[in-house]
Amino acid sequence: MQLSENNTYQIQGISPSELIETYGSPLYVYDGGTIRRKVAELQEAFSSVNMKIKYACKANTNLSILRLMREIGVELDVVSPGEFEMGRLAGYDAGQITFTPSGVPFHEVKEAVEAGALVNVDSIPLLEWFGKTYGSTKPCLIRIKPNVAAGGNAKIMTAHADSKFGISVLLIEQILEVVNRYGIKVIGLHQHTGSDIKDAEPFIQVADILFETAKRFPDLQIVDLGGGFKVSYKPGDEITDMHLLGTKISERFKKFCAEYGRELQLWFEPGKFLVSESGYLLTTTTVVKEDPARNFVHVDTGLNHLIRPMMYGSYHHILNTSNPGGTEKTYNVVGYICETDTFASDRTLSEVRPGDILVMLNAGAYGYTMSSHYNARFRPAEVLVDHGSAKLIRRRESLKDLLGTQDGL
Ligand SMILES: *Cc1c(COP(=O)(O)O)cnc(C)c1O
C-alpha cells in the first residue's frame, strides 16, 4: 500500500475505495507484485547454492496465489490432503509437493505417497509404518526436532524440546535402527523452527544441528530448513535480514556439502515471508463510539475473518485510507462479532468517521485460511492485483455456502 503523490493510498495504482466499490466490503486484496518481490529476494539471497522454495501454503491457499507461485518457480509444502488437492488443481505435479503432516492418520500419508508426493515423516510410529509398508521402495524425508526454542510466541514455536512436532534429535539412534531395519530410503532431513524468527542465529544453530545429523544418513539429496522468517509488521520493524541469512547459511551449507562429499539441495518452506505483506484486509467503519473510557471504532469484520490479533496478540498495522493526513486520535479498533475481538488497542489513526475505509496490513498469511463462519457470517471475497489490474479470485459467500452441508433444508 503506497501513498501516492496526490496523498491517496493505492495498491498498484488502485485505491481501496475503488476496490470496495467494485467488490464490496470487507475484502481481502493481495498484491501479486509483492509476492514476486519476496520470492526474488529469497532466491537472490541463496543464489550461490542449489536452493528450492517450497511455499508452506497453509498461509494462503487461494488457487490463484498457488498458480502465481507455480509460474514463478516456487514448489509446495502441504499439511493436509485438502492442501495437496489444491496444489494439484493449481497445476503442480505431485512430485513438486511435499506433505509435512503432524500426527495425521496414516491413511492420509498412504494416499499422498501413492499419489506421488514426498512425505516428511514426523514420528517413530510413522517411520515404522513407512518401513513396514514401503521398505526401500519409496523415498521420504524425516522431520527432526532440534530442541531449539525460537519464534515470535509460544504458539508458533515448533522446535523446542516440548514441541509436538517432529522426532527429537536425541532419538537419532532409534531413528537409524528403524531406517536400517527396513532399508528406508531417507533422501532428506527436515526441520521447522517456528514462525516470526528475526535473527540469523537460531537458523544457523538449527542448520548446524541438522548438518551434523545429516552425516549419519548416507543417501541424502535434500536438507530442508523450514520457514519462519520474520516479516515487517509496521514501519521501521526489524525483520529477518535475508541477505545476511543467505550469506551465512550458504557458507555453512557449502562447507557441509564438501564434508558430506556431495552437492545437496537446500530447501526452505516459508509461508508468511512470501505472502504476509502482499495482503490487505479492507474494512468499512460501521460505528465510532466515543465512550467515556476510550474511543471505539467498529468495523464490518471480526475474528471470523482475521483471528491473528486475538489468537496470537499479533500486531496488524491499520491505515485510515479515507482520511490520510487527518487529525490523529487514539482508538480501539474492534470487530462486529459477539466476542471481544479487538484488532488494535490504543491505536493512533487519523480521525475515523463512519464509512471510512480502514485497511489492515499483513493480511496475506493466515488471514483467509484461518477464517470461520462464526456468528453465521459469510467469508469475504478475495481480489488479486497483478500487473496493474484487479481480478476477483474468490467470490463473497452467501447463505448457501453457510448451509450447504446441513440436513433438514
Ligand atoms: C507453517 C509451516 C511453515 C511456514 O511457517 P511461516 O512462519 O509461515 O514461514 C513451514 N514449514 C512447516 C512444516 C509449517 O508447518
Side-chain angles (χ1 to χ4, degrees):
M1 179 88 44
Q2 278 175 337
L3 204 53
S4 74
E5 278 167 17
N6 62 356
N7 209 26
T8 57
Y9 284 99
Q10 296 184 338
I11 300 165
Q12 292 192 24
I14 307 171
S15 71
S17 58
E18 268 176 271
L19 289 162
I20 282 195
E21 217 163 274
T22 314
Y23 303 104
S25 178
L27 184 68
Y28 271 101
V29 180
Y30 310 110
D31 182 339
T34 305
I35 296 174
R36 293 171 198 278
R37 180 168 56 76
K38 299 300 284 187
V39 167
E41 190 185 331
L42 187 54
Q43 283 167 339
E44 269 164 40
F46 288 90
S47 56
S48 73
V49 295
N50 187 359
M51 192 274 290
K52 231 182 209 187
I53 306 175
K54 298 269 167 176
Y55 167 51
C57 71
K58 70 179 189 286
N60 189 327
T61 40
N62 187 292
L63 287 179
S64 300
I65 301 286
L66 300 183
R67 289 196 183 105
L68 193 160
M69 291 291 185
R70 193 173 71 81
E71 275 168 30
I72 56 180
V74 173
E75 298 189 350
L76 279 195
D77 190 85
V78 305
V79 295
S80 70
E83 286 187 357
F84 177 77
E85 288 307 325
M86 288 186 197
R88 296 287 286 132
L89 282 171
Y92 280 101
D93 293 335
Q96 296 174 302
I97 305 176
T98 315
F99 182 33
T100 304
S102 174
V104 302
F106 294 173
H107 71 84
E108 290 188 1
V109 176
K110 191 168 202 286
E111 283 148 23
V113 169
E114 277 154 36
L118 192 55
V119 168
N120 247 316
V121 173
D122 72 313
S123 69
I124 296 274
L126 181 59
L127 190 63
E128 280 274 357
W129 174 87
F130 197 92
K132 224 176 273 170
T133 310
Y134 300 116
S136 60
T137 63
K138 298 279 185 194
C140 72
L141 278 78
I142 294 180
R143 179 172 187 168
I144 299 286
K145 181 173 70 170
N147 294 354
V148 170
N153 67 62
K155 282 185 192 148
I156 53 176
M157 296 194 333
T158 55
H160 55 297
D162 273 348
S163 160
K164 71 170 185 175
F165 297 97
I167 312 178
S168 170
V169 67
L170 302 176
L171 299 178
I172 182 65
E173 301 307 332
Q174 202 180 335
I175 297 171
L176 288 168
E177 189 278 316
V178 179
V179 166
N180 293 332
R181 181 147 42 88
Y182 294 105
I184 299 171
K185 210 169 140 199
V186 181
I187 62 160
L189 290 192
H190 164 276
Q191 79 80 35
H192 171 63
T193 309
S195 206
D196 276 345
I197 304 166
K198 171 170 66 70
D199 299 319
E201 257 340 287
F203 285 104
I204 291 169
Q205 204 184 340
V206 295
D208 285 346
I209 293 169
L210 213 59
F211 295 158
E212 255 334 282
T213 314
K215 291 176 186 161
R216 309 286 304 273
F217 295 83
D219 302 318
L220 296 187
Q221 300 166 20
I222 300 150
V223 175
D224 181 343
L225 292 179
F229 311 121
K230 187 171 184 303
V231 297
S232 174
Y233 288 103
K234 55 176 169 256
D237 236 5
E238 272 194 73
I239 57 168
T240 306
D241 181 339
M242 201 43 83
H243 183 74
L244 179 75
L245 184 74
T247 309
K248 289 193 168 179
I249 298 279
S250 299
E251 199 179 284
R252 280 177 147 76
F253 181 64
K254 283 184 218 167
K255 185 165 157 277
F256 158 70
C257 289
E259 288 166 10
Y260 192 78
R262 202 142 37 84
E263 281 270 312
L264 302 196
Q265 284 179 24
L266 180 62
W267 286 11
F268 285 102
E269 308 155 355
K272 194 175 282 177
F273 180 80
L274 301 182
V275 293
S276 173
E277 291 151 282
S278 78
Y280 303 93
L281 179 57
L282 277 50
T283 70
T284 306
T285 305
T286 50
V287 175
V288 180
K289 218 187 247 176
E290 305 213 334
D291 191 84
R294 58 179 76 234
N295 299 324
F296 290 97
V297 166
H298 283 264
V299 287
D300 62 349
T301 183
L303 62 75
N304 53 326
H305 296 156
L306 182 65
I307 201 172
R308 298 186 71 252
M310 305 83 192
M311 190 156 150
Y312 306 123
S314 309
Y315 180 94
H316 286 262
H317 203 62
I318 301 176
L319 300 169
N320 180 0
T321 60
S322 299
N323 192 14
T327 315
E328 291 192 332
K329 287 180 98 170
T330 302
Y331 301 95
N332 273 20
V333 179
V334 296
Y336 60 8
I337 289 294
C338 287
E339 296 266 337
T340 303
D341 52 349
T342 306
F343 287 106
S345 301
D346 293 324
R347 188 68 65 84
T348 303
L349 300 170
S350 47
E351 185 176 5
V352 184
R353 303 142 314 176
D356 278 1
I357 295 170
L358 300 195
V359 176
M360 305 197 194
L361 272 55
N362 290 91
Y366 310 107
Y368 196 100
T369 52
M370 282 190 166
S371 66
S372 72
H373 283 147
Y374 190 43
N375 281 199
R377 292 276 179 188
F378 310 144
R379 290 190 174 97
E382 295 182 292
V383 166
L384 176 64
V385 181
D386 207 12
H387 304 302
S389 65
K391 185 175 169 236
L392 185 69
I393 56 172
R394 187 189 318 245
R395 65 160 173 79
R396 187 172 304 283
E397 288 183 339
S398 67
L399 193 62
K400 225 167 137 187
D401 299 298
L402 224 77
L403 294 174
T405 50
Q406 295 205 47
D407 184 31
L409 289 172

